[in-house]
Amino acid sequence: MKKIFLSIAVVSITFAMAQKKEISNAVKAIDGGDTATANAQISAAESAMNGNVYLLEPALQEQYYYAKGLGLLKTGKVAEGAIYLAKINDFAKNKIYSGKDASKNRVYFVGKAAADASGIQGLKEETYSPTLLQSVEKNIFPLADKANKVAIDAFNQKNYDLSGSKFKETYYLLKAAGSDDGSILLNAVTAYTNGKNNVESIKIFEELIAMGYTGVQTNYLATNKKSGEQEKMNKTIFDFQKKLGDASEYKDFKMETSPSVEKQIYQNLTDELYTEKRYDEVIKYADMGLKKFPNDEKLINIKGLAYFSSGKSAEFIEILKAQVAANPKDVDSWYNLGIMLKSDPAQYEAAKASFLKAIELNPNYSNALQNITFLIMGDDSKAIDDYNAARKSGKIDAANKIMEARKKRFAEALPYAEKWYQTDTNNLDAVILLKGLYMSTKNDAKFQEFKAKEAALEAAGKK
């Protein structure tokens, strides 16, 4: 018996015919209310497609998304189903790019981004108008209205996780019906943030950034003459009613443009990522935000903190230098720069200058006063060890120089220690330090005064 060999092209046609039949059956089943059959037919088609939806011609892709989406909706997977249905709108918004792949299969990519990602050359640009949008809207709007009401009620009842999930559901449902309103996702973020669910709010912030959402939109408003209430309308109706003049049912026509919230999205996302200790992602999104909003202090600061918290000290120092260069009055950044530099003996002068700048901007900056005091004093235990070693080896002149240098450092540090104490007169550490400095600088009266203060504070602490 002779063997029959099918070419790749014939095999592809066979698969396409099978998928067309299964998807067509799924559409008929879902429209007839037979969800189980629809889902079974879609599963059969997906097994053959292996995820390669682009092998289906546009009309078949649309039918697949329609049956798949409604099948999910009617089995309770509303948000997931809405995502599939939303893909139908992509046909109306994008060109179709068709051609053949390396295996001579016909391919159909929706949108230039998908076509470019395929790497296939010579694709032809086409237009396809979806035919199932009205059927989608008929199924979608009641569900969206219900989800939105549940979201609002849940928020008022402080059930924030439910509220967030239902606002997300509302967004995806309306997107499936052609209305891509990112402000609904912001409502979801507000709910999740109130519930301290950073994981979910982070996902939404990332989605808003990926879709390029800014919050800027023009609202068309007019007052209904009968009710006296201001109403929001689309541009077409707005323009038509305005042209009617006195014959219009509306008056006081005006347009309002909402402000951008893009910067706040980057700021809030990086703050929440930092809270979750996802430092590399903080840096990634801070950089993305800084490309759009150069020198934004909040983004620069959170990026610096992420570098610091992840142990990248050199990068953090550069961030701090950039911050004080952009804003010389940023007292906290001057202080933080001093903190980062003080551990490197070669950066002594730079660290000192940073602390001094912080104190100049805020003379009562307690932490800066404390740190500059210890910076100037240096490593006193090492100085004492060096002094004792020099004396033991008979190097009296060297020992005397070490002690003289120590006295000079203490004398220089004393005014800052005194100012530190003045910012908090009950600070036991400041009192003990000053007692020692006064003893070293031979100020016996002050030594006795602070010795008594130390005893009084310790006694009060024991009561």
Side-chain angles (χ1 to χ4, degrees):
M1 185 174 69
K2 293 182 179 179
K3 293 183 179 179
I4 297 174
F5 296 94
L6 296 178
S7 69
I8 292 176
V10 173
V11 172
S12 297
I13 291 171
T14 302
F15 279 132
M17 290 298 293
Q19 290 158 16
K20 184 173 182 178
K21 182 180 179 181
E22 288 157 350
I23 292 171
S24 178
N25 288 338
V27 171
K28 291 176 182 177
I30 203 70
D31 284 341
D34 187 353
T35 304
T37 297
N39 288 340
Q41 290 292 311
I42 285 296
S43 294
E46 287 176 332
S47 296
M49 283 191 297
N50 196 29
N52 299 323
V53 182
Y54 59 83
L55 293 174
L56 304 178
E57 60 187 54
L60 207 53
Q61 287 190 38
E62 181 188 8
Q63 292 173 29
Y64 164 70
Y65 291 133
Y66 175 79
K68 174 75 173 179
L70 288 180
L72 288 166
L73 280 183
K74 294 183 178 183
T75 52
K77 299 177 181 178
V78 178
E80 189 178 346
I83 291 172
Y84 277 95
L85 292 173
K87 294 179 183 293
I88 295 175
N89 277 286
D90 292 339
F91 291 104
K93 298 175 183 177
N94 297 280
K95 297 290 185 181
I96 305 297
Y97 294 84
S98 65
K100 291 186 177 182
D101 63 13
S103 299
K104 306 300 182 182
N105 295 308
R106 291 290 301 178
V107 294
Y108 304 89
F109 295 100
V110 183
K112 193 170 188 308
D116 290 343
S118 73
I120 300 173
Q121 302 298 314
L123 295 175
K124 182 182 177 182
E125 185 178 286
E126 300 175 355
T127 300
Y128 174 75
S129 298
T131 61
L132 297 171
L133 285 177
Q134 286 188 343
S135 296
V136 170
E137 291 172 359
K138 182 179 69 175
N139 286 278
I140 287 297
F141 286 132
L143 292 172
D145 185 56
K146 180 180 178 181
N148 191 57
K149 288 177 180 177
V150 172
I152 293 170
D153 289 343
F155 187 88
N156 291 334
Q157 294 168 15
K158 298 184 179 181
N159 189 344
Y160 296 121
D161 276 354
L162 175 60
S163 178
S165 68
K166 286 298 179 180
F167 274 127
K168 279 176 62 179
E169 190 174 295
T170 303
Y171 167 76
Y172 290 123
L173 285 167
L174 291 177
K175 185 179 180 183
S179 176
D180 194 350
D181 187 355
S183 66
I184 300 173
L185 284 180
L186 286 181
N187 290 341
V189 166
T190 301
Y192 283 129
T193 300
N194 273 276
K196 302 188 185 306
N197 190 338
N198 287 342
V199 173
E200 288 300 323
S201 58
I202 284 170
K203 289 177 184 177
I204 298 175
F205 279 132
E206 290 178 324
E207 183 172 355
L208 287 167
I209 287 173
M211 62 193 266
Y213 179 75
T214 65
V216 176
Q217 63 180 21
T218 301
N219 297 316
Y220 299 90
L221 307 169
T223 302
N224 188 306
K225 290 179 181 179
K226 290 183 179 179
S227 67
E229 294 183 358
Q230 189 179 72
E231 295 181 9
K232 189 175 173 181
M233 54 186 69
N234 66 45
K235 187 177 185 303
T236 302
I237 295 175
F238 178 88
D239 290 339
F240 174 73
Q241 290 290 337
K242 190 175 182 181
K243 285 179 182 178
L244 291 177
D246 292 339
S248 174
E249 297 177 0
Y250 294 86
K251 63 179 181 177
D252 301 331
F253 294 89
K254 63 180 179 179
M255 295 183 294
E256 293 181 353
T257 302
S258 56
S260 173
V261 295
E262 189 174 17
K263 184 193 292 186
Q264 287 78 11
I265 289 174
Y266 280 104
Q267 290 174 344
N268 292 336
L269 171 59
T270 50
D271 278 344
E272 293 194 8
L273 286 168
Y274 185 80
T275 299
E276 295 297 310
K277 299 181 180 180
R278 292 159 61 174
Y279 303 126
D280 288 342
E281 292 171 81
V282 172
I283 296 165
K284 169 190 167 183
Y285 282 106
D287 281 337
M288 288 172 63
L290 287 168
K291 286 181 180 178
K292 292 175 175 286
F293 309 102
N295 300 321
D296 180 74
E297 290 183 23
K298 288 186 177 180
L299 290 175
I300 293 173
N301 183 59
I302 199 71
K303 179 181 175 182
L305 290 173
Y307 274 128
F308 175 71
S309 298
S310 57
K312 299 175 181 177
S313 299
E315 290 89 341
F316 184 42
I317 288 170
E318 292 306 311
I319 290 288
L320 291 171
K321 288 180 178 178
Q323 281 183 267
V324 297
N327 182 9
K329 293 185 178 181
D330 186 349
V331 61
D332 290 328
S333 290
W334 280 115
Y335 168 73
N336 288 333
L337 183 57
I339 291 293
M340 294 304 298
L341 294 172
K342 72 172 187 174
S343 59
D344 182 358
Q347 297 291 337
Y348 171 83
E349 292 296 337
K352 182 179 176 183
S354 297
F355 287 134
L356 286 173
K357 187 65 179 179
I359 293 166
E360 176 189 329
L361 293 167
N362 180 5
N364 295 316
Y365 200 147
S366 177
N367 287 337
L369 290 163
Q370 177 186 5
N371 276 278
I372 197 171
T373 298
F374 286 112
L375 177 70
I376 293 170
M377 288 175 61
D379 187 347
D380 194 47
S381 60
K382 183 178 183 303
I384 295 298
D385 289 343
D386 290 345
Y387 171 77
N388 290 331
R391 281 182 60 84
K392 286 180 181 179
S393 61
K395 299 177 181 178
I396 304 303
D397 287 343
N400 290 338
K401 287 181 180 180
I402 290 170
M403 192 54 62
E404 188 61 33
R406 179 175 182 264
K407 289 179 181 178
K408 286 182 179 179
R409 290 196 303 275
F410 281 11
E412 183 184 355
L414 181 59
Y416 299 108
E418 290 175 332
K419 184 64 178 175
W420 172 31
Y421 166 73
Q422 289 168 17
T423 65
D424 182 6
T425 55
N426 291 320
N427 189 316
L428 181 60
D429 290 335
V431 169
I432 293 172
L433 177 65
L434 277 169
K435 183 191 73 170
L437 287 173
Y438 287 132
M439 181 176 68
S440 297
T441 53
K442 308 298 184 184
N443 189 334
D444 188 61
K446 282 288 186 181
F447 168 73
Q448 295 298 333
E449 177 187 342
F450 276 79
K451 183 179 179 182
K453 285 180 182 291
E454 178 187 3
L457 287 172
E458 288 181 338
K462 292 176 182 178
K463 289 181 180 179

